[in-house]
Structure formats: structure tokens, C-alpha cells
Amino acid sequence: AAKKEGRGRAKSFDPSMLESLEQRELLRRSLRMALAQQQFFIEYQPIVESGRIFGFEALLRWRHPLLGTITPAAFIPMAEADGLMPEIGAWVLEQACREAMKWPQNYTVAVNLSAAEFLTSGLTDRVSHTLDLVGLPPDRLELEITESVLLERTVNNIDTLNTLNVLGIRISLDDFGTDYSSLSYLKTFPFDTIKIDRYFITDLESDLKSQAIVRCIVNLAHDLQMRVTAEGVETPEQAKWLRSIGCDRLQGYLISRPLSVEAIGEFVTQAETSLGQMLP
Ligand code: C2E
Ligand code: MG
Ligand code: MG
Ligand code: MG
């Protein structure tokens, strides 16, 4: 099991541990060079639907030469602040699409978009150019955005998502329930999938309020012809309950931790038998 959990799995390195401003400056400077130095890599976390693999979410990691593997929560805010995210995000998109081309089946690849990438003009052109370059069919790509990325129902935002949608790329609303959770987003934007934040999944077994909220989101999504993914599923009881209320897809440590790209083949091979045992 230790082997499966993985070589290169991200440890939680927290830049606030760096006491001095100098140390933080050092990290900031090495972040600026990380792309050129090829220190970024992607792990892939499976998403399952009806006991079968639906796709994999691309999760960015930074292999720092001295500090080891750094999780995105620890460096993405810094990259955002320094204006590096559009470039890093473009790398993630292309790399994830390239790696998805080598998977044994036509699974969906889900890529997270940052606010900076979304707001830089020409997003739809860049995405469709990348798909053409790599040869990935648009319907294999899902872009995950959070409500904070959209912030406003501006004409531009609506146009961008509609254009992606027309191209056949699917959009999922990530971390639903934690940010602004304005229901008007669901009315205005063409989401294919809503991802319910782990916050509501963690205590499902004990908290009737979480159950009520999750059930409500699932019903609402289905009435809107959208799919629902539950994030952070860690126990068979959570999985069982989620399936009993009709939640379409599950993602979380119960199914698998994020995997190195090399580990995907083995996961796929074992999934047919192991998913059946794992998921009630
Ligand atoms: P997210 O998109 O909501 O991704 C889910 C996070 O939850 C991942 O953390 C994943 O490893 C973690 N997770 C999955 N299942 C479980 C579980 O069962 N239990 C627990 N405790 N955690 C689970 P990670 O990889 O550290 O990523 C954190 C966030 O960083 C992501 O949240 C996403 O918002 C952002 N991120 C990751 N990669 C990228 C990227 O390429 N671009 C952008 N813009 N953001 C990214
Ligand atoms: Mg995500
Ligand atoms: Mg999420
Ligand atoms: Mg989340």
C-alpha cells in the first residue's frame, strides 16, 4: 500500500514555515525559475462513475530541489500574486492533455483554471489551439473553475464559457458550496458538472445538515441537467450514502490518492476488480 500511495506524493510544505522575509523571497525567486527548470509535474486523481473510471483530475506539484515536493496551496497564491499563473496554467493544460493522450482509454482529463488564466484574454483560443496541437478531442477535456474565478456574471465571462461549451469542452464548478454559492451562477453559466466541496462530505455520517445540503445540491443539479461529483470521499459509508441519493461521481482517497502519471496504467488495470470491492 505504501508503494501505491506513491513516490513523489506531495508533502505539505508550508511557506509560512519560512521565518524570514529573505527565505520567502528566495522561494519566490525559485518559483520564477521553476518552469524553465522543469520542476513542475502533475499527479492525477481518479474520478469514478457507477463503479467505473470516468476520468482523472490534474493536480499540479512543484518538486523543489531543496524543499522537496510542494503542494499547490502553498505556491499557487504566490504564483498568482507574481503574475506567473497564466504561464504555469498554460503548461499544466498542455502537459495534462499530452499525458492524457497516452492513457489506455479515452478518459476525461480535468484541469483546474486559475482566475488569472480565466481573465487573460484569448483563453478560448489558447485552449482550442492546445487541443489541436496535442490532438486531444475537446470532449475529453473538462475545465474546473471556482466561483471566485467568475466573480461576476459579466458578458465576457458568459461569452467565454459559452464558447468553450460550443467547442465541446465541459466546464465544472469546483468547490461548490464554499465560496459565494450564488445560485444565479447556476442559472447563467453552462456548467456540465458541479463538484461538491469536501467540507460537506467529511462529516456526512454524523451531520444531518451536511446531508440535507448535499441532497439538495444533487437534486438541484439534476433538475438543471447537470452532473454532480462529490470531492474528498474517504469512507465506504460516505460512498454508499452518496450513491443512495444519486450522486453521479465520486472522488477521494477512498478510491485513490492522486497518482503519478506512471501509476495510471496499473490503477486502470486493477480498477475493474478493485473498484467493485471498494465501492459499496
Ligand atoms: P481542488 O481542485 O478542489 O482539488 C482537490 C484537492 O483535494 C486536491 O488537493 C486533492 O489532493 C485533495 N483531495 C482529494 N481527495 C481527498 C480526500 O479524500 N481527502 C482529502 N483530505 N483531500 C483530498 P491538492 O492537490 O493539494 O490541490 C489543492 C488545490 O490547488 C486544488 O483544489 C486546486 O484548487 C488547486 N490546484 C491544483 N492544481 C492546480 C492547477 O494546475 N491549476 C490551478 N489553477 N489550481 C490548481
Ligand atoms: Mg479541482
Ligand atoms: Mg475541488
Ligand atoms: Mg475542494
Side-chain angles (χ1 to χ4, degrees):
K3 191 182 160 206
K4 213 183 255 171
E5 286 184 6
R7 278 162 306 211
R9 182 154 71 74
K11 286 186 282 289
S12 42
F13 169 81
D14 178 358
S16 68
M17 285 171 353
L18 296 176
E19 264 142 48
S20 71
L21 202 63
E22 278 157 71
Q23 285 173 317
R24 220 169 296 187
E25 258 326 294
L26 219 59
L27 192 72
R28 178 164 262 130
R29 237 175 298 146
S30 54
L31 182 56
R32 237 169 270 146
M33 302 191 304
L35 205 53
Q37 310 262 348
Q38 301 180 300
Q39 290 167 0
F40 290 118
F41 66 102
I42 302 175
E43 288 189 324
Y44 294 92
Q45 190 179 32
I47 300 167
V48 301
E49 177 169 21
S50 312
R52 308 188 62 184
I53 301 168
F54 165 76
F56 294 85
E57 179 176 4
L59 295 161
L60 179 62
R61 276 88 182 85
W62 177 18
R63 192 179 286 117
H64 190 280
L66 301 174
L67 300 169
T69 302
I70 307 182
T71 59
F75 69 85
I76 285 183
M78 202 180 251
E80 289 259 11
D82 288 5
L84 300 170
M85 255 343 260
E87 215 188 324
I88 296 174
W91 179 86
V92 173
L93 179 69
E94 186 174 332
Q95 182 73 4
C97 291
R98 280 192 196 286
E99 292 184 331
M101 286 294 288
K102 297 185 210 141
W103 293 347
Q105 304 240 15
N106 294 342
Y107 301 122
T108 293
V109 57
V111 176
N112 292 284
L113 274 194
S114 68
E117 291 170 82
F118 194 79
L119 296 172
T120 312
S121 66
L123 174 74
T124 53
D125 287 346
R126 279 178 283 125
V127 172
S128 60
H129 173 77
T130 303
L131 290 173
D132 285 348
L133 185 76
V134 171
L136 190 81
D139 63 0
R140 287 190 56 195
L141 178 64
E142 188 161 286
L143 296 174
E144 298 198 358
I145 57 174
T146 57
E147 292 156 296
S148 57
V149 167
L150 296 172
L151 273 178
E152 284 169 51
R153 283 169 292 143
T154 61
V155 174
N156 268 344
N157 285 348
I158 297 170
D159 270 2
T160 301
L161 291 194
N162 281 335
T163 307
L164 291 169
N165 194 38
V166 166
L167 290 171
I169 296 159
R170 278 160 298 144
I171 318 287
S172 63
L173 183 55
D174 204 353
D175 299 341
F176 187 73
T178 50
D179 276 343
Y180 303 88
S181 298
S182 163
L183 295 178
S184 65
Y185 290 125
L186 299 182
K187 181 170 151 154
T188 322
F189 294 112
F191 297 117
D192 183 81
T193 305
I194 294 175
K195 299 189 78 172
I196 305 177
D197 196 76
R198 177 157 59 86
Y199 177 71
F200 300 104
I201 309 300
T202 306
D203 60 3
L204 264 185
E205 289 144 69
S206 58
D207 192 336
L208 293 175
K209 289 181 187 167
S210 288
Q211 291 180 11
I213 291 166
V214 169
R215 199 184 288 115
C216 172
I217 297 173
V218 169
N219 290 337
L220 178 63
H222 286 168
D223 282 348
L224 294 167
Q225 316 299 324
M226 296 173 189
R227 252 67 55 194
V228 188
T229 303
E231 296 185 331
V233 180
E234 294 185 354
T235 70
E237 291 74 27
Q238 290 164 353
K240 189 176 174 199
W241 188 84
L242 286 161
R243 291 187 63 172
S244 78
I245 61 149
C247 182
D248 305 276
R249 296 175 194 149
L250 308 179
Q251 181 179 13
Y253 294 170
L254 172 69
I255 294 132
S256 171
R257 298 218 172 223
L259 301 165
S260 71
V261 68
E262 295 82 16
I264 288 183
E266 195 190 341
F267 178 82
V268 168
T269 310
Q270 292 180 353
E272 247 175 74
T273 44
S274 63
L275 284 182
Q277 289 158 9
M278 216 177 325
L279 301 174

